[in-house]
Amino acid sequence: MIDYIKANPGLQGIVVVINYQQPRLALHIKTILQILCNVFPSSSFWSHVAIVWTKFFYYLPPNMKNKRETTSSKYAQEILELVRSANGDSSIQSFPTFFVDTDFNRKDPDTCVEINKLIDWVSKLSPVDVTKIRHADTEIKETSKETDIRETKRTVKNIEYIKKEYYERDKKIRYDGNVLYSDWRKVKEITIENKLPRKLINTTIEEKEESWTPPHGCHGPPPGHHGPPPHGCHGPPPGHHGPPPHGCHGPPPGHHGPPPHGCHGPPPGHHGPPPHGCHGPPPHGCRPPPPGHHGWRPPPPGCHPHGPPPKIHYERTIKNF
């Protein structure tokens, strides 16, 4: 029909016919009106539409004929509301209305008047603008899409993975009000990574001990010595025959009196003369220097000159998440 109207311009009017003996908007009439709304989207088209009530028989009693205005107004309003809702234009206000008998063998005067009015109405119309008409489905009034987002989550350690799947389907509304749905189809999928705060499961402490290793040049006390030596005092190394440092010597030859306070005889095996005034062995607690060392010196910093090397204790904390 649409192709025919486009190929043959000159359409001036369209008449909607309703049975006066059954005054109601049947489903097929509503469907026709909705199809017209889809085919002719312009509101100006509705100035080319009229309503004709048929079977307005000549023999109807006057009380029934007199109800035509009431009946016409009631259903014309329903048609207006249907067209406005479908077309979305509230400027459509009314439709020309005519009442005719369908017995054409009898020339009913009232019917003749109505038909002449209908012809006069059509003759004053300009052709419908066919450039604005469009194809429309005669079964489906409206088509839309419905969407659905489906979400799933999984957690690995402290990372939450969120998968979102996007689906859509077609929704078709028929003119009779029934709704048809297509199957759901997936259009896209995305995955989001969400870093969660780590949850502490437990805490453990790991311990260990290691023996202390003295730095280079450090030496322990002489065998059998358990006390700390006096500050800066060290005995001669075993087998040392050289003279001790100043202040730590035996008595001079021929001296038979007691040595000065703190002074002692020469160390065992020492045969050299001590310096003047020095007698006897070194004060108590003096220890020898390292083997091969002939001077007398204090230990290097950090040395522990007496006792066994200390133990060093280590520990660390391990947190499990």
Side-chain angles (χ1 to χ4, degrees), residues 136-190:
D137 197 312
T138 57
E139 294 184 0
I140 305 301
K141 178 181 71 173
E142 181 182 342
T143 300
S144 61
K145 291 186 183 297
E146 290 188 345
T147 60
D148 183 36
I149 301 176
R150 304 173 189 180
E151 187 177 289
T152 56
K153 297 180 181 180
R154 65 185 182 90
T155 303
V156 179
K157 295 185 178 180
N158 67 318
I159 304 297
E160 181 184 48
Y161 297 91
I162 304 173
K163 183 172 73 172
K164 291 185 176 182
E165 298 174 293
Y166 294 80
Y167 289 82
E168 69 177 19
R169 67 177 178 180
D170 297 323
K171 178 182 179 181
K172 297 180 180 181
I173 303 176
R174 297 169 60 97
Y175 290 105
D176 59 6
N178 290 328
V179 181
L180 305 175
Y181 293 97
S182 67
D183 294 332
W184 287 105
R185 56 186 178 274
K186 185 164 69 173
V187 293
K188 70 175 182 177
E189 175 185 318
I190 62 172

Side-chain angles (χ1 to χ4, degrees), residues 248-281:
C248 197
H249 305 278
H255 182 78
H256 303 288
H261 177 71
C263 210
H264 305 278
H270 184 74
H271 301 290
H276 176 72
C278 191
H279 308 280

Side-chain angles (χ1 to χ4, degrees), residues 219 232-237 240 242-246 287-299:
H219 305 276
C233 190
H234 304 272
H240 183 74
H246 175 72
R287 294 180 295 168
H293 186 76
H294 302 291
W296 295 77
R297 62 181 177 83

Side-chain angles (χ1 to χ4, degrees), residues 34-294:
Q34 290 172 332
I35 291 174
L36 289 175
C37 287
N38 290 335
V39 173
F40 301 96
S42 175
S43 59
S44 62
F45 161 77
W46 294 97
S47 61
H48 296 262
V49 176
I51 299 174
V52 174
W53 292 89
T54 63
K55 296 187 178 182
F56 190 74
F57 300 123
Y58 69 92
Y59 53 79
L60 291 177
N63 63 330
M64 290 192 65
K65 287 189 176 184
N66 292 338
K67 291 181 180 179
R68 70 181 189 176
E69 295 299 331
T70 303
T71 302
S72 173
S73 298
K74 175 183 176 181
Y75 291 100
Q77 187 62 34
E78 286 189 30
I79 293 173
L80 278 173
E81 291 177 359
L82 188 150
V83 171
R84 287 171 182 171
S85 63
N87 185 271
D89 194 330
S90 59
S91 64
I92 306 167
Q93 298 298 325
S94 61
F95 301 104
T97 305
F98 307 97
F99 298 85
V100 299
D101 192 349
T102 51
D103 185 358
F104 296 105
N105 293 323
R106 179 181 174 82
K107 300 295 183 179
D108 175 49
D110 292 335
T111 298
C112 291
V113 172
E114 293 293 305
I115 290 176
N116 288 335
K117 288 168 60 177
L118 174 61
I119 294 172
D120 182 62
W121 169 75
V122 172
S123 64
K124 293 178 180 179
L125 294 174
S126 58
V128 175
D129 184 4
V130 297
T131 62
K132 296 182 180 180
I133 66 175
R134 61 190 181 189
H135 287 274
D137 197 312
T138 57
E139 294 184 0
I140 305 301
K141 178 181 71 173
E142 181 182 342
T143 300
S144 61
K145 291 186 183 297
E146 290 188 345
T147 60
D148 183 36
I149 301 176
R150 304 173 189 180
E151 187 177 289
T152 56
K153 297 180 181 180
R154 65 185 182 90
T155 303
V156 179
K157 295 185 178 180
N158 67 318
I159 304 297
E160 181 184 48
Y161 297 91
I162 304 173
K163 183 172 73 172
K164 291 185 176 182
E165 298 174 293
Y166 294 80
Y167 289 82
E168 69 177 19
R169 67 177 178 180
D170 297 323
K171 178 182 179 181
K172 297 180 180 181
I173 303 176
R174 297 169 60 97
Y175 290 105
D176 59 6
N178 290 328
V179 181
L180 305 175
Y181 293 97
S182 67
D183 294 332
W184 287 105
R185 56 186 178 274
K186 185 164 69 173
V187 293
K188 70 175 182 177
E189 175 185 318
I190 62 172
T191 300
I192 301 172
E193 294 186 10
N194 183 23
K195 189 174 182 179
L196 304 175
R198 296 197 300 172
K199 184 179 179 181
L200 182 63
I201 299 173
N202 58 46
T203 301
T204 58
I205 297 178
E206 188 178 273
E207 300 180 75
K208 71 173 182 176
E209 280 191 347
E210 290 183 357
S211 297
W212 176 80
T213 302
H216 177 70
C218 281
H219 305 276
H225 183 79
H226 303 291
H231 176 70
C233 190
H234 304 272
H240 183 74
H241 302 290
H246 175 72
C248 197
H249 305 278
H255 182 78
H256 303 288
H261 177 71
C263 210
H264 305 278
H270 184 74
H271 301 290
H276 176 72
C278 191
H279 308 280
H284 175 70
C286 280
R287 294 180 295 168
H293 186 76
H294 302 291

